[in-house]
Amino acid sequence: QKEVEQNSGPLSVPEGAIASLNCTYSDRGSQSFFWYRQYSGKSPELIMSIYSNGDKEDGRFTAQLNKASQYVSLLIRDSQPSDSATYLCAVKGAGTASKLTFGTGTRLQVTL
Amino acid sequence: GAVVSQHPSRVICKSGTSVKIECRSLDFQATTMFWYRQFPKQSLMLMATSNEGSKATYEQGVEKDKFLINHASLTLSTLTVTSAHPEDSSFYICSANVRGNYGYTFGSGTRLTVV
């Protein structure tokens, strides 16, 4: 079983729709969860971080965490063509210097 | 915010030569630096973790004698790919853990092509 699992996609949504990206993780001791966006040929950029159960909203983005189900998701409202990218879920264990473990990423395509 | 400057952004080298990649934290002290490698259409794979002033910790399957990591100061970490071969061609990215912060800042990446 992979430590962090994501559906590779592509996930295709029309412009203006809600894109829903999902991620599951295997380590119950994981403490911090991150969503990164990566455009082709570029390094990842942080979209959201979430540390406690529930929802966290930032603009058009909402991260959801359910530690009991070991599940974290990212919702993108009013999807724009510029949102087309690969979204990487990353999970961090306990300790401030623990490494991040990445999922394989979900490729999102926002169509006109 | 915390910025990590990574150089070079692109490098093409001949097989058998060595290449050095630098990552500098510009406005914070990076106690820990992570080095990743990403092949096309794959996710980031952690190669090694370096801590300032100590030896790097390499992930399983990563040759420490081939990928030399130096983290001599709180603002500079380097990765040297020694005796590079075409299979080492990849996108190398560094990431720093900001002291006292759970966040991770990524460098802009280095595209290495070995011909």
Side-chain angles (χ1 to χ4, degrees), chain A residues 6-70:
Chain A
Q6 295 181 257
N7 188 318
S8 62
L11 172 66
S12 185
V13 299
E15 185 178 6
I18 296 175
S20 177
L21 305 162
N22 304 313
C23 171
T24 57
Y25 59 95
S26 60
D27 183 2
R28 282 197 172 275
S30 301
Q31 297 290 315
S32 309
F33 307 85
F34 306 87
W35 283 99
Y36 286 87
R37 177 175 63 197
Q38 186 177 27
Y39 292 112
S40 181
K42 304 294 184 182
S43 71
E45 55 179 320
L46 182 66
I47 298 296
M48 293 282 288
S49 60
I50 187 166
Y51 309 112
S52 54
N53 282 328
D55 295 0
K56 179 181 177 183
E57 186 175 320
D58 184 1
R60 294 187 297 113
F61 300 96
T62 299
Q64 300 173 316
L65 175 62
N66 184 325
K67 289 187 178 181
S69 300
Q70 295 174 243

Side-chain angles (χ1 to χ4, degrees), chain A residues 32 34 36 38 41-44 51 88 92 95-100 102-105, chain B residues 32 34 36 38 42-44 46 59 91 93 97 101-104 106-109 111:
Chain A
S32 309
F34 306 87
Y36 286 87
Q38 186 177 27
K42 304 294 184 182
S43 71
Y51 309 112
L88 300 168
K92 176 180 171 294
T96 56
S98 294
K99 63 183 183 182
L100 284 181
F102 284 87
T104 52
Chain B
T32 303
F34 302 91
Y36 293 87
Q38 186 177 37
Q42 294 187 25
S43 190
L44 281 74
L46 181 66
E59 296 298 302
F91 191 48
I93 314 172
N97 173 252
N101 188 317
Y102 288 123
Y104 293 78
F106 282 84
S108 54
R111 174 75 58 193

Side-chain angles (χ1 to χ4, degrees), chain A residues 9-21 60 74-85 87 106-112:
Chain A
L11 172 66
S12 185
V13 299
E15 185 178 6
I18 296 175
S20 177
L21 305 162
R60 294 187 297 113
L74 178 70
L75 299 177
I76 306 175
R77 289 181 298 281
D78 189 23
S79 296
Q80 301 296 308
S82 58
D83 295 327
S84 298
Y87 289 80
T106 298
R107 189 156 63 92
L108 173 66
Q109 293 178 338
V110 181
T111 58
L112 294 173

Side-chain angles (χ1 to χ4, degrees), chain B residues 37 58-63 67:
Chain B
R37 177 168 55 181
Y58 290 81
E59 296 298 302
Q60 191 172 12
V62 178
E63 300 174 59
F67 299 98

